[in-house]
């Protein structure tokens, strides 16, 4: 069981002028394997900081992240990140983007192609494999980002407002896709969003964070994700 434990995380940024920002204070939560949790909170309450700590990009001032019983040390493919936008490799085509992780692992081309064929099918981009990233709409680019993340076979997917830059209709379609992926892959997902509606629809659980210093204000169990959008 790859339970994800976020244990007593505090994060303090010391600034060059001698002051500091207490971004997070004693944040703890546990996600069971395969659970999807949404996180809501005002700007600046430390949502992105928390995700970066879980990803291993940032070391917390206090506390630790434990995945499957082992404390994490820095970034690793078991924890994948999907950003709001702009994180694709613009000089690679769609397949090469999805292919990136497996290629870095030295996987043979045939096997890599099978993986990217499958994932691009799943996200509805079968006919766009050879397109350049800049030829795609915003929604399609986020589909590539999801497929690229899945290609690394993460246990945990960290989503930092992945749908935040999309128009309403595309966003709705993508919410359906995120739910489908969650159900079909059984991944553990943390989803940061600014949309209350999205948080309610996509979370089995919802964490509402309080403003600085970021703390958990309240946690709710939700019925909607199980039912589908
Ligand atoms: P949110 O994602 O909820 O909007 P962030 O995690 O981006 O919040 O930021 C939380 C607080 O920490 C903010 O006050 C922000 O200015 C501060 N902060 C984030 N990253 C840094 C950094 N690298 N250096 C200094 N302060 C930072
Ligand atoms: P999505 O919801 O995937 O972002 P859009 O609503 O933006 O898709 O576009 C609907 C459809 O129009 C896409 O599935 C795609 O077939 C086509 N399309 C949109 N933008 C482009 C583009 N820049 N190049 C080629 N086809 C596009």
């Amino acid at each position: 069981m790859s339970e994800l434990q976020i244990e007593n995380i505090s994060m303090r940024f010391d600034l060059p002028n001698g002051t500091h920002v207490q971004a997070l204070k004693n944040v703890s939560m546990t996600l069971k394997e395969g659970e999807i949790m949404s996180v809501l909170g005002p700007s600046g309450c430390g949502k992105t900081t928390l995700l970066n700590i879980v990803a291993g990009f940032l070391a917390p001032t206090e506390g630790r992240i434990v995945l499957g019983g082992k404390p994490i040390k820095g970034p690793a493919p078991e924890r994948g990140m999907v950003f709001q936008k702009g994180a694709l490799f613009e000089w690679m085509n769609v397949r090469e983007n999805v292919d990136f992780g497996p290629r870095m692992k030295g996987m043979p081309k045939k096997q890599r192609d099978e993986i990217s064929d499958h994932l691009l099918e799943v996200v509805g981009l079968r006919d766009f494999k050879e397109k350049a990233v800049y030829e795609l709409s915003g929604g399609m680019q986020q589909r590539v980002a999801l497929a690229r993340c899945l290609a690394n076979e993460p246990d945990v997917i960290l989503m930092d407002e992945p749908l935040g830059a999309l128009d309403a209709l595309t966003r709705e379609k993508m919410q359906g896709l995120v739910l489908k992926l969650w159900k079909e892959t059984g991944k553990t997902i943390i989803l940061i969003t600014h949309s209350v509606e999205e948080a309610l629809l996509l979370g089995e659980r919802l964490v509402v964070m309080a403003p600085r210093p970021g703390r958990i204000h309240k946690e709710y169990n939700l019925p909607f994700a199980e039912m589908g959008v």
Side-chain angles (χ1 to χ4, degrees):
M1 274 288 281
S2 285
E3 190 170 73
L4 174 66
Q5 292 159 280
I6 296 173
E7 290 183 357
N8 265 308
I9 297 291
S10 294
M11 186 72 206
R12 174 187 154 132
F13 292 106
D14 292 308
L15 306 178
N17 66 7
T19 63
H20 68 267
V21 176
Q22 187 74 42
L24 293 168
K25 188 81 186 162
N26 288 330
V27 173
S28 296
M29 49 182 108
T30 300
L31 283 96
K32 293 194 289 277
E33 183 173 327
E35 191 167 23
I36 183 165
M37 176 188 272
S38 47
V39 180
L40 270 178
S43 265
C45 74
K47 301 183 295 299
T48 295
T49 300
L50 182 64
L51 230 52
N52 281 326
I53 289 170
V54 178
F57 299 146
L58 262 179
T61 320
E62 287 171 54
R64 58 179 199 163
I65 307 295
V66 180
L67 179 60
K70 291 191 199 113
I72 65 148
K73 293 197 189 85
E78 72 198 16
R79 285 162 280 122
M81 186 84 122
V82 179
F83 300 92
Q84 184 171 25
K85 59 177 197 173
L88 295 176
F89 304 120
E90 297 278 338
W91 59 92
M92 295 181 195
N93 70 20
V94 167
R95 186 198 285 284
E96 287 162 347
N97 266 276
V98 175
D99 208 23
F100 185 76
R103 209 160 64 235
M104 289 298 107
K105 281 199 288 191
M107 195 183 283
K109 170 127 177 65
K110 188 164 173 290
Q111 205 178 339
R112 285 191 274 124
D113 283 351
E114 279 170 19
I115 290 173
S116 55
D117 280 348
H118 169 67
L119 290 174
L120 287 167
E121 179 87 41
V122 168
V123 300
L125 288 178
R126 193 184 55 190
D127 300 332
F128 295 84
K129 286 172 199 154
E130 312 307 324
K131 293 268 185 213
V133 166
Y134 56 79
E135 291 182 83
L136 304 181
S137 67
M140 294 160 91
Q141 291 190 13
Q142 287 311 80
R143 288 166 196 257
V144 178
L146 283 173
R148 188 179 63 178
C149 179
L150 288 169
N152 289 313
E153 300 192 295
D155 297 323
V156 177
I157 305 183
L158 306 166
M159 300 191 178
D160 194 354
E161 285 207 68
L163 314 183
L166 305 175
D167 64 80
L169 185 64
T170 305
R171 186 171 185 150
E172 211 169 289
K173 283 195 267 172
M174 292 291 290
Q175 288 169 348
L177 177 63
V178 171
L179 266 190
K180 182 179 104 154
L181 290 178
W182 168 64
K183 286 184 177 159
E184 287 177 4
T185 63
K187 305 285 183 193
T188 308
I189 298 179
I190 301 181
L191 173 89
I192 291 180
T193 175
H194 267 112
S195 155
V196 175
E197 194 190 4
E198 187 164 290
L200 292 176
L201 283 176
L202 298 190
E204 285 181 289
R205 264 202 294 162
L206 164 64
V207 166
V208 178
M209 291 182 63
R212 261 201 298 172
R215 286 154 292 131
I216 294 183
H217 172 66
K218 212 155 185 178
E219 250 189 78
Y220 302 87
N221 290 315
L222 302 172
F224 306 110
E226 268 304 324
M227 297 167 4
V229 172

